[in-house]
Coordinates of all heavy atoms in Angstrom, one line a residue:
M1 N -4.1 13.0 -4.6 CA -4.5 11.6 -4.6 C -4.1 10.9 -3.2 O -4.9 10.4 -2.5 CB -3.7 10.8 -5.7 CG -3.9 9.3 -5.6 SD -2.9 8.4 -6.7 CE -1.3 8.7 -6.0
L2 N -2.9 11.0 -2.8 CA -2.5 10.4 -1.5 C -3.1 11.1 -0.3 O -3.4 10.5 0.7 CB -0.9 10.5 -1.3 CG -0.2 9.5 -2.2 CD1 1.3 9.7 -1.9 CD2 -0.6 8.1 -1.9
G3 N -3.4 12.4 -0.5 CA -4.1 13.1 0.6 C -5.4 12.5 0.9 O -5.8 12.3 2.1
R4 N -6.2 12.2 -0.1 CA -7.5 11.6 0.1 C -7.4 10.2 0.6 O -8.1 9.7 1.5 CB -8.3 11.5 -1.2 CG -8.9 12.9 -1.6 CD -9.7 12.8 -2.8 NE -8.8 12.7 -3.9 CZ -9.1 12.1 -5.1 NH1 -10.3 11.7 -5.3 NH2 -8.2 12.0 -6.0
L5 N -6.3 9.5 0.2 CA -6.1 8.1 0.6 C -5.7 8.1 2.1 O -6.1 7.3 2.9 CB -5.0 7.4 -0.2 CG -4.9 5.9 -0.1 CD1 -6.2 5.2 -0.3 CD2 -3.8 5.4 -1.1
S6 N -4.8 9.1 2.5 CA -4.4 9.1 3.9 C -5.5 9.4 4.8 O -5.6 8.9 6.0 CB -3.3 10.1 4.1 OG -3.7 11.4 3.9
V7 N -6.5 10.2 4.4 CA -7.7 10.5 5.2 C -8.5 9.2 5.3 O -9.1 8.9 6.4 CB -8.6 11.6 4.5 CG1 -9.9 11.7 5.2 CG2 -7.8 12.9 4.6
G8 N -8.5 8.3 4.3 CA -9.3 7.1 4.4 C -8.6 6.0 5.2 O -9.2 4.9 5.4
I9 N -7.4 6.2 5.7 CA -6.7 5.2 6.5 C -6.4 5.9 7.8 O -5.3 6.3 8.1 CB -5.4 4.8 5.8 CG1 -5.7 4.3 4.4 CG2 -4.7 3.7 6.6 CD1 -4.5 3.9 3.6
P10 N -7.4 5.9 8.7 CA -7.2 6.5 10.0 C -6.1 5.9 10.9 O -5.5 6.6 11.7 CB -8.6 6.4 10.7 CG -9.3 5.3 10.0 CD -8.7 5.3 8.6
D11 N -5.9 4.6 10.7 CA -4.9 3.9 11.5 C -3.5 3.9 10.8 O -2.7 3.1 11.3 CB -5.3 2.5 11.8 CG -6.6 2.5 12.7 OD1 -6.7 3.5 13.5 OD2 -7.4 1.6 12.6
A12 N -3.3 4.7 9.8 CA -2.0 4.6 9.1 C -0.8 4.8 10.0 O 0.2 4.2 9.9 CB -2.0 5.6 7.9
Q13 N -1.0 5.7 11.0 CA 0.1 5.9 11.9 C 0.4 4.8 12.8 O 1.4 4.6 13.4 CB -0.1 7.2 12.7 CG -0.1 8.5 11.9 CD -0.3 9.7 12.8 OE1 0.0 9.7 13.9 NE2 -0.8 10.7 12.2
N14 N -0.6 3.9 13.0 CA -0.5 2.8 14.0 C 0.0 1.5 13.3 O 0.2 0.5 14.0 CB -1.8 2.6 14.7 CG -2.3 3.8 15.4 OD1 -1.5 4.5 16.0 ND2 -3.5 4.1 15.4
L15 N 0.1 1.5 12.0 CA 0.6 0.2 11.4 C 2.1 0.1 11.5 O 2.8 1.0 11.0 CB 0.2 0.2 9.9 CG -1.3 0.1 9.6 CD1 -1.5 0.4 8.1 CD2 -1.8 -1.2 10.0
D16 N 2.6 -0.9 12.2 CA 4.0 -1.1 12.3 C 4.5 -2.1 11.2 O 3.7 -2.6 10.5 CB 4.4 -1.6 13.7 CG 3.9 -2.9 14.1 OD1 3.5 -3.7 13.2 OD2 3.8 -3.2 15.3
E17 N 5.8 -2.2 11.1 CA 6.3 -3.0 10.0 C 5.9 -4.5 10.1 O 5.6 -5.1 9.1 CB 7.9 -3.0 10.0 CG 8.4 -3.7 8.8 CD 9.9 -3.3 8.6 OE1 10.4 -2.3 9.0 OE2 10.5 -4.2 7.9
R18 N 5.7 -5.0 11.3 CA 5.2 -6.4 11.5 C 3.8 -6.5 10.9 O 3.5 -7.5 10.2 CB 5.3 -6.8 12.9 CG 5.0 -8.3 13.2 CD 5.0 -8.6 14.7 NE 3.8 -8.2 15.3 CZ 3.7 -7.3 16.2 NH1 4.7 -6.7 16.7 NH2 2.5 -6.9 16.7
E19 N 3.0 -5.6 11.2 CA 1.6 -5.6 10.7 C 1.5 -5.5 9.2 O 0.8 -6.1 8.5 CB 0.7 -4.6 11.4 CG 0.5 -4.8 12.8 CD -0.1 -3.6 13.5 OE1 0.4 -2.5 13.3 OE2 -1.1 -3.8 14.3
L20 N 2.4 -4.6 8.7 CA 2.5 -4.4 7.2 C 2.9 -5.7 6.5 O 2.4 -6.1 5.5 CB 3.4 -3.2 6.9 CG 2.9 -1.8 7.1 CD1 4.0 -0.8 6.8 CD2 1.7 -1.6 6.2
R21 N 3.9 -6.3 7.1 CA 4.5 -7.6 6.6 C 3.4 -8.6 6.5 O 3.2 -9.4 5.6 CB 5.7 -8.0 7.3 CG 6.2 -9.4 6.9 CD 6.5 -9.5 5.5 NE 7.8 -9.0 5.1 CZ 8.4 -9.1 3.9 NH1 7.8 -9.7 3.0 NH2 9.5 -8.5 3.7
K22 N 2.6 -8.7 7.6 CA 1.6 -9.7 7.7 C 0.5 -9.5 6.6 O 0.1 -10.4 5.9 CB 0.9 -9.7 9.1 CG -0.2 -10.7 9.3 CD -0.8 -10.7 10.6 CE -1.9 -11.7 10.7 NZ -2.9 -11.4 11.7
M23 N 0.1 -8.2 6.5 CA -0.9 -7.8 5.5 C -0.3 -8.1 4.1 O -1.0 -8.7 3.2 CB -1.2 -6.3 5.6 CG -2.3 -5.8 4.7 SD -2.5 -4.0 4.8 CE -2.4 -3.7 6.6
F24 N 0.9 -7.8 3.8 CA 1.6 -8.0 2.5 C 1.6 -9.5 2.2 O 1.2 -10.0 1.1 CB 3.0 -7.5 2.6 CG 3.8 -7.7 1.3 CD1 3.8 -6.7 0.4 CD2 4.6 -8.8 1.1 CE1 4.5 -6.8 -0.8 CE2 5.3 -8.9 -0.1 CZ 5.2 -7.9 -1.0
D25 N 2.0 -10.3 3.2 CA 2.1 -11.8 3.0 C 0.7 -12.4 2.7 O 0.6 -13.4 2.0 CB 2.8 -12.5 4.1 CG 4.3 -12.1 4.2 OD1 4.8 -11.7 3.2 OD2 4.9 -12.3 5.3
E26 N -0.3 -11.9 3.4 CA -1.7 -12.5 3.3 C -2.2 -12.2 1.9 O -2.9 -13.0 1.3 CB -2.6 -11.9 4.3 CG -2.4 -12.4 5.7 CD -3.3 -11.7 6.7 OE1 -4.0 -10.7 6.4 OE2 -3.2 -12.0 7.9
I27 N -1.8 -11.0 1.3 CA -2.4 -10.7 0.0 C -1.5 -11.2 -1.1 O -2.0 -11.4 -2.2 CB -2.5 -9.1 -0.1 CG1 -3.4 -8.6 1.0 CG2 -3.0 -8.7 -1.5 CD1 -4.9 -9.0 0.9
D28 N -0.2 -11.5 -0.9 CA 0.7 -12.0 -1.9 C 0.3 -13.5 -2.2 O 1.0 -14.4 -1.8 CB 2.1 -11.9 -1.4 CG 3.1 -12.5 -2.4 OD1 2.7 -12.6 -3.6 OD2 4.2 -12.8 -2.0
T29 N -0.8 -13.7 -2.8 CA -1.4 -15.0 -3.1 C -0.5 -15.9 -4.0 O -0.5 -17.1 -3.8 CB -2.8 -14.9 -3.7 OG1 -2.8 -14.1 -4.8 CG2 -3.8 -14.3 -2.7
S30 N 0.3 -15.3 -4.8 CA 1.2 -16.0 -5.7 C 2.4 -16.5 -4.9 O 3.1 -17.4 -5.4 CB 1.5 -15.2 -6.9 OG 2.3 -14.1 -6.5
G31 N 2.7 -15.8 -3.8 CA 3.9 -16.2 -3.0 C 5.2 -15.7 -3.7 O 6.3 -16.2 -3.3
D32 N 5.2 -14.8 -4.6 CA 6.4 -14.4 -5.3 C 7.1 -13.3 -4.7 O 8.1 -12.8 -5.2 CB 6.1 -14.1 -6.8 CG 5.2 -12.9 -7.0 OD1 4.7 -12.3 -6.0 OD2 5.0 -12.5 -8.1
G33 N 6.6 -12.8 -3.5 CA 7.3 -11.7 -2.8 C 7.0 -10.3 -3.3 O 7.7 -9.4 -3.0
S34 N 6.0 -10.2 -4.2 CA 5.6 -8.9 -4.7 C 4.1 -8.9 -4.9 O 3.4 -9.9 -4.9 CB 6.3 -8.6 -6.0 OG 5.9 -9.5 -7.0
L35 N 3.6 -7.6 -4.9 CA 2.1 -7.4 -5.2 C 1.9 -6.8 -6.5 O 2.6 -5.8 -6.8 CB 1.5 -6.5 -4.1 CG 1.6 -7.0 -2.6 CD1 1.0 -6.0 -1.7 CD2 1.1 -8.4 -2.4
D36 N 1.1 -7.4 -7.3 CA 0.7 -6.8 -8.6 C -0.5 -5.8 -8.3 O -0.9 -5.7 -7.1 CB 0.3 -7.8 -9.6 CG -0.9 -8.7 -9.2 OD1 -1.8 -8.2 -8.5 OD2 -0.9 -9.8 -9.7
P37 N -0.9 -5.0 -9.2 CA -1.9 -4.0 -9.0 C -3.2 -4.6 -8.4 O -3.8 -4.0 -7.5 CB -2.1 -3.3 -10.3 CG -0.8 -3.4 -11.0 CD -0.3 -4.8 -10.6
E38 N -3.6 -5.8 -8.8 CA -4.8 -6.4 -8.3 C -4.7 -6.7 -6.9 O -5.6 -6.6 -6.1 CB -5.2 -7.6 -9.2 CG -5.6 -7.3 -10.6 CD -4.5 -7.0 -11.5 OE1 -3.3 -7.4 -11.3 OE2 -4.7 -6.2 -12.5
E39 N -3.5 -7.3 -6.5 CA -3.3 -7.6 -5.1 C -3.2 -6.4 -4.2 O -3.7 -6.4 -3.1 CB -2.0 -8.5 -5.0 CG -2.1 -9.8 -5.6 CD -0.8 -10.6 -5.7 OE1 0.3 -9.9 -6.0 OE2 -0.7 -11.8 -5.4
L40 N -2.6 -5.3 -4.7 CA -2.5 -4.1 -4.0 C -3.9 -3.5 -3.8 O -4.2 -3.0 -2.7 CB -1.6 -3.1 -4.7 CG -1.3 -1.8 -4.0 CD1 -0.5 -2.1 -2.7 CD2 -0.6 -0.8 -4.8
K41 N -4.7 -3.6 -4.8 CA -6.1 -3.1 -4.6 C -6.8 -3.8 -3.5 O -7.5 -3.2 -2.7 CB -6.9 -3.3 -5.9 CG -8.3 -2.7 -5.8 CD -8.9 -2.5 -7.2 CE -10.3 -2.0 -7.2 NZ -10.9 -1.5 -6.0
Q42 N -6.6 -5.1 -3.3 CA -7.1 -5.9 -2.2 C -6.7 -5.3 -0.9 O -7.5 -5.2 0.0 CB -6.7 -7.4 -2.3 CG -7.3 -8.1 -3.4 CD -6.8 -9.6 -3.4 OE1 -6.6 -10.2 -2.4 NE2 -6.6 -10.1 -4.6
V43 N -5.5 -4.9 -0.8 CA -5.0 -4.3 0.5 C -5.7 -3.1 0.8 O -6.3 -2.9 1.9 CB -3.5 -4.0 0.4 CG1 -3.0 -3.2 1.6 CG2 -2.6 -5.3 0.3
F44 N -5.8 -2.2 -0.1 CA -6.5 -0.9 0.1 C -8.0 -1.0 0.3 O -8.6 -0.3 1.1 CB -6.0 0.2 -0.9 CG -4.7 0.7 -0.6 CD1 -3.6 0.2 -1.3 CD2 -4.4 1.6 0.4 CE1 -2.3 0.6 -1.0 CE2 -3.2 2.1 0.7 CZ -2.1 1.6 0.0
D45 N -8.6 -1.9 -0.5 CA -10.0 -2.2 -0.3 C -10.3 -2.7 1.1 O -11.3 -2.3 1.7 CB -10.5 -3.2 -1.3 CG -10.6 -2.6 -2.7 OD1 -10.5 -1.4 -2.9 OD2 -10.9 -3.4 -3.7
K46 N -9.4 -3.5 1.6 CA -9.6 -4.1 2.9 C -9.4 -3.0 4.0 O -10.2 -3.1 5.0 CB -8.5 -5.2 3.1 CG -8.6 -5.9 4.5 CD -7.5 -7.0 4.6 CE -7.6 -7.7 5.9 NZ -6.6 -8.8 6.0
I47 N -8.5 -2.1 3.9 CA -8.3 -1.1 5.0 C -9.1 0.2 4.9 O -9.2 0.9 5.9 CB -6.8 -0.9 5.2 CG1 -6.1 -0.3 4.0 CG2 -6.1 -2.1 5.7 CD1 -4.7 0.0 4.2
C48 N -9.5 0.5 3.7 CA -10.2 1.8 3.6 C -11.4 1.8 2.6 O -11.8 2.8 2.1 CB -9.3 2.9 3.2 SG -8.4 2.8 1.7
G49 N -11.9 0.6 2.3 CA -13.1 0.5 1.4 C -12.7 0.5 0.0 O -11.5 0.4 -0.4
D50 N -13.6 0.6 -0.9 CA -13.4 0.4 -2.3 C -12.5 1.6 -2.8 O -12.9 2.8 -2.7 CB -14.7 0.4 -3.1 CG -14.6 0.1 -4.5 OD1 -13.6 -0.7 -4.9 OD2 -15.3 0.6 -5.4
V51 N -11.4 1.3 -3.4 CA -10.4 2.3 -3.9 C -10.4 2.1 -5.4 O -10.3 1.0 -6.0 CB -9.0 2.1 -3.3 CG1 -8.0 3.0 -4.0 CG2 -9.0 2.2 -1.8
D52 N -10.6 3.3 -6.1 CA -10.6 3.3 -7.6 C -9.3 2.6 -8.1 O -8.2 2.9 -7.6 CB -10.7 4.7 -8.0 CG -10.9 4.8 -9.5 OD1 -12.1 4.8 -9.9 OD2 -9.9 4.9 -10.2
Q53 N -9.4 1.8 -9.1 CA -8.3 1.2 -9.8 C -7.2 2.2 -10.3 O -6.0 1.9 -10.2 CB -8.7 0.3 -10.9 CG -7.6 -0.6 -11.5 CD -7.0 -1.6 -10.5 OE1 -7.7 -2.2 -9.8 NE2 -5.7 -1.6 -10.4
Q54 N -7.7 3.4 -10.7 CA -6.7 4.4 -11.2 C -5.8 4.8 -10.0 O -4.6 5.1 -10.3 CB -7.5 5.5 -11.8 CG -6.5 6.6 -12.4 CD -7.3 7.7 -13.1 OE1 -8.5 7.8 -13.1 NE2 -6.5 8.5 -13.8
V55 N -6.4 4.9 -8.8 CA -5.5 5.3 -7.7 C -4.5 4.2 -7.4 O -3.3 4.5 -7.2 CB -6.4 5.5 -6.4 CG1 -5.6 5.7 -5.2 CG2 -7.4 6.7 -6.6
I56 N -4.9 3.0 -7.5 CA -4.0 1.9 -7.3 C -2.9 1.9 -8.4 O -1.7 1.7 -8.1 CB -4.7 0.5 -7.3 CG1 -5.7 0.5 -6.2 CG2 -3.7 -0.7 -7.3 CD1 -5.2 0.6 -4.8
D57 N -3.3 2.1 -9.6 CA -2.3 2.1 -10.7 C -1.3 3.3 -10.5 O -0.1 3.1 -10.8 CB -3.0 2.3 -12.1 CG -3.8 1.1 -12.5 OD1 -3.6 0.0 -11.9 OD2 -4.7 1.2 -13.3
N58 N -1.8 4.4 -10.0 CA -0.9 5.5 -9.8 C 0.1 5.2 -8.6 O 1.2 5.6 -8.7 CB -1.7 6.8 -9.4 CG -2.3 7.4 -10.7 OD1 -1.9 7.2 -11.8 ND2 -3.4 8.1 -10.4
L59 N -0.4 4.5 -7.6 CA 0.4 4.1 -6.5 C 1.5 3.2 -7.0 O 2.7 3.4 -6.6 CB -0.4 3.4 -5.4 CG -1.2 4.3 -4.4 CD1 -2.0 3.5 -3.5 CD2 -0.2 5.2 -3.6
V60 N 1.2 2.2 -7.8 CA 2.2 1.3 -8.3 C 3.2 2.1 -9.2 O 4.4 2.0 -9.0 CB 1.6 0.2 -9.2 CG1 2.6 -0.6 -9.9 CG2 0.7 -0.7 -8.3
F61 N 2.7 3.0 -10.0 CA 3.6 3.8 -10.8 C 4.6 4.6 -9.9 O 5.8 4.7 -10.2 CB 2.8 4.8 -11.7 CG 3.7 5.7 -12.5 CD1 4.3 5.2 -13.7 CD2 3.8 7.0 -12.2 CE1 5.1 6.1 -14.4 CE2 4.6 7.9 -12.9 CZ 5.2 7.4 -14.1
L62 N 4.1 5.2 -8.9 CA 4.9 6.1 -8.0 C 5.9 5.3 -7.1 O 7.0 5.7 -6.9 CB 4.0 7.0 -7.1 CG 3.2 8.0 -7.9 CD1 2.2 8.7 -6.9 CD2 4.2 9.1 -8.5
A63 N 5.4 4.1 -6.6 CA 6.2 3.4 -5.7 C 7.1 2.3 -6.3 O 8.0 1.8 -5.6 CB 5.3 2.7 -4.6
D64 N 6.9 2.0 -7.5 CA 7.7 0.9 -8.2 C 9.1 1.4 -8.6 O 9.3 1.7 -9.7 CB 6.9 0.4 -9.4 CG 7.5 -0.8 -10.0 OD1 8.4 -1.4 -9.4 OD2 7.1 -1.1 -11.2
D65 N 10.0 1.3 -7.6 CA 11.3 1.8 -7.8 C 12.1 1.1 -8.9 O 12.9 1.7 -9.7 CB 12.2 1.7 -6.6 CG 11.7 2.7 -5.5 OD1 11.1 3.8 -5.9 OD2 12.0 2.5 -4.3
D66 N 11.9 -0.2 -9.1 CA 12.6 -1.0 -10.1 C 11.9 -1.1 -11.4 O 12.4 -1.7 -12.4 CB 13.0 -2.4 -9.5 CG 11.8 -3.2 -9.1 OD1 10.7 -2.9 -9.4 OD2 12.1 -4.3 -8.5
G67 N 10.7 -0.6 -11.5 CA 9.9 -0.5 -12.8 C 9.4 -1.9 -13.3 O 9.1 -2.0 -14.5
N68 N 9.3 -2.8 -12.4 CA 8.8 -4.2 -12.9 C 7.3 -4.3 -12.9 O 6.8 -5.4 -13.2 CB 9.5 -5.3 -12.1 CG 9.1 -5.3 -10.7 OD1 8.3 -4.5 -10.2 ND2 9.6 -6.3 -9.9
G69 N 6.6 -3.3 -12.5 CA 5.1 -3.4 -12.5 C 4.5 -4.0 -11.2 O 3.3 -4.1 -11.2
T70 N 5.3 -4.4 -10.3 CA 4.8 -4.9 -9.0 C 5.6 -4.2 -7.9 O 6.6 -3.6 -8.1 CB 5.1 -6.5 -8.9 OG1 6.5 -6.7 -8.9 CG2 4.4 -7.2 -10.1
L71 N 5.0 -4.4 -6.7 CA 5.7 -3.8 -5.5 C 6.2 -4.9 -4.6 O 5.4 -5.8 -4.1 CB 4.6 -3.0 -4.7 CG 4.0 -1.8 -5.5 CD1 3.1 -1.0 -4.6 CD2 5.1 -0.9 -6.1
E72 N 7.5 -4.8 -4.3 CA 8.1 -5.7 -3.3 C 7.8 -5.0 -2.0 O 7.4 -3.9 -1.9 CB 9.6 -5.9 -3.6 CG 9.9 -6.7 -4.8 CD 9.6 -6.1 -6.1 OE1 9.6 -4.8 -6.3 OE2 9.3 -6.8 -7.1
F73 N 8.1 -5.8 -0.9 CA 7.8 -5.3 0.4 C 8.3 -3.9 0.7 O 7.6 -3.0 1.3 CB 8.2 -6.2 1.6 CG 7.7 -5.7 2.9 CD1 6.4 -5.8 3.3 CD2 8.7 -5.2 3.8 CE1 6.0 -5.3 4.5 CE2 8.3 -4.7 5.0 CZ 6.9 -4.7 5.4
D74 N 9.6 -3.6 0.4 CA 10.2 -2.3 0.7 C 9.4 -1.2 0.0 O 9.2 -0.1 0.5 CB 11.7 -2.3 0.4 CG 12.0 -2.5 -1.0 OD1 11.3 -3.3 -1.7 OD2 13.0 -2.0 -1.5
E75 N 9.0 -1.4 -1.3 CA 8.2 -0.4 -2.0 C 6.8 -0.3 -1.4 O 6.3 0.9 -1.3 CB 8.1 -0.9 -3.5 CG 9.5 -0.9 -4.2 CD 9.4 -1.6 -5.5 OE1 8.6 -2.6 -5.7 OE2 10.3 -1.3 -6.4
F76 N 6.2 -1.4 -1.1 CA 4.9 -1.4 -0.4 C 4.9 -0.6 0.9 O 4.1 0.3 1.1 CB 4.5 -2.8 -0.2 CG 3.2 -3.0 0.6 CD1 2.0 -2.8 0.1 CD2 3.3 -3.4 2.0 CE1 0.8 -3.0 0.8 CE2 2.2 -3.6 2.7 CZ 0.9 -3.4 2.1
S77 N 5.9 -0.9 1.7 CA 6.0 -0.2 3.0 C 6.3 1.3 2.9 O 5.9 2.1 3.7 CB 7.0 -0.9 4.0 OG 8.3 -0.8 3.5
Q78 N 7.0 1.7 1.8 CA 7.2 3.1 1.6 C 5.9 3.9 1.4 O 5.8 5.0 1.9 CB 8.1 3.3 0.4 CG 8.6 4.7 0.1 CD 9.4 5.3 1.3 OE1 10.1 4.6 2.0 NE2 9.2 6.6 1.5
I79 N 4.9 3.3 0.8 CA 3.6 3.9 0.6 C 3.1 4.3 2.0 O 2.6 5.4 2.2 CB 2.6 3.0 -0.1 CG1 3.0 2.8 -1.5 CG2 1.2 3.6 0.0 CD1 2.2 1.8 -2.3
F80 N 3.2 3.4 3.0 CA 2.6 3.6 4.3 C 3.5 4.6 5.1 O 3.0 5.4 5.9 CB 2.5 2.3 5.1 CG 1.3 1.5 4.5 CD1 1.5 0.6 3.5 CD2 0.0 1.7 4.9 CE1 0.5 -0.1 2.9 CE2 -1.0 1.0 4.4 CZ -0.8 0.1 3.4
S81 N 4.8 4.7 4.8 CA 5.6 5.7 5.4 C 5.2 7.1 5.0 O 5.1 8.0 5.8 CB 7.1 5.5 5.0 OG 7.6 4.3 5.6
V82 N 4.9 7.2 3.7 CA 4.4 8.5 3.2 C 3.1 8.9 3.8 O 2.8 10.0 4.2 CB 4.4 8.5 1.7 CG1 3.7 9.8 1.1 CG2 5.8 8.4 1.1
L83 N 2.2 7.9 3.9 CA 0.8 8.1 4.5 C 0.9 8.5 5.9 O 0.2 9.4 6.4 CB -0.1 6.9 4.3 CG -0.5 6.6 2.9 CD1 -1.2 5.2 2.8 CD2 -1.3 7.7 2.3
K84 N 1.9 7.9 6.7 CA 2.1 8.3 8.1 C 2.5 9.7 8.2 O 2.1 10.5 9.0 CB 3.1 7.3 8.7 CG 2.6 6.0 9.0 CD 3.7 5.2 9.7 CE 3.3 3.7 9.9 NZ 4.4 2.9 10.5
Q85 N 3.5 10.1 7.3 CA 4.0 11.5 7.4 C 2.8 12.5 7.1 O 2.7 13.5 7.7 CB 5.1 11.7 6.4 CG 6.4 10.9 6.7 CD 7.4 10.9 5.6 OE1 7.2 11.6 4.6 NE2 8.5 10.2 5.8
M86 N 2.0 12.1 6.1 CA 0.9 13.0 5.7 C -0.1 13.1 6.8 O -0.7 14.1 7.1 CB 0.2 12.5 4.4 CG 1.1 12.6 3.2 SD 0.4 11.9 1.7 CE -0.8 13.2 1.4
S87 N -0.4 12.0 7.5 CA -1.4 11.9 8.6 C -0.8 12.7 9.8 O -1.6 13.4 10.5 CB -1.6 10.5 9.1 OG -2.3 9.8 8.1
A88 N 0.5 12.7 10.0 CA 1.1 13.4 11.1 C 1.0 14.9 10.9 O 0.9 15.7 11.9 CB 2.5 13.0 11.3
K89 N 0.9 15.4 9.7 CA 0.9 16.8 9.4 C -0.5 17.4 9.5 O -0.7 18.6 9.5 CB 1.4 17.1 8.0 CG 2.9 16.8 7.9 CD 3.4 17.1 6.5 CE 4.9 16.8 6.4 NZ 5.5 17.1 5.1
R90 N -1.5 16.5 9.6 CA -2.9 17.0 9.7 C -3.2 17.5 11.1 O -2.7 17.3 12.0 CB -3.9 15.9 9.4 CG -4.1 15.6 7.9 CD -5.2 14.7 7.6 NE -4.8 13.4 7.7 CZ -5.5 12.4 8.3 NH1 -6.7 12.6 8.8 NH2 -5.1 11.2 8.3

């Protein structure tokens, strides 16, 4: 799953924390400091085209360290850390 997603994000290695924070804040429309699955889908649709909701649900399941069903910034940025590592290995 992440392998296909990392291929779909050619600039994953170039996203720094400031850019990730900006993207996160723009999509966090509720302003609660976390992204629900629908908001996360907006992020990935924006950067790599239409992403299947099941992929998004799996990302939330894998990255949601506190089990609250949403991703806070540290959980969100961890996804991109993994994607960067995967892109670097290609």
Side-chain angles (χ1 to χ4, degrees):
M1 173 191 67
L2 285 177
R4 285 183 287 157
L5 194 55
S6 68
V7 169
I9 306 177
D11 295 329
Q13 292 185 26
N14 299 322
L15 292 172
D16 64 21
E17 188 166 337
R18 189 181 78 243
E19 293 168 314
L20 285 175
R21 172 55 81 173
K22 181 180 178 204
M23 188 184 315
F24 182 90
D25 291 341
E26 286 174 359
I27 301 297
D28 180 19
T29 55
S30 65
D32 66 357
S34 64
L35 300 181
D36 62 30
E38 291 77 25
E39 290 170 322
L40 187 63
K41 183 166 178 12
Q42 290 177 39
V43 171
F44 283 97
D45 286 350
K46 181 178 179 179
I47 58 177
C48 61
D50 188 33
V51 176
D52 187 90
Q53 186 64 44
Q54 186 174 7
V55 172
I56 299 302
D57 293 342
N58 287 337
L59 282 173
V60 171
F61 177 77
L62 293 170
D64 184 15
D65 290 336
D66 59 11
N68 68 355
T70 63
L71 299 182
E72 288 71 30
F73 181 73
D74 60 328
E75 296 166 332
F76 172 78
S77 64
Q78 185 62 31
I79 293 170
F80 289 89
S81 294
V82 170
L83 292 173
K84 284 180 187 181
Q85 292 171 7
M86 293 176 72
S87 293
K89 291 181 181 181
R90 281 191 275 139

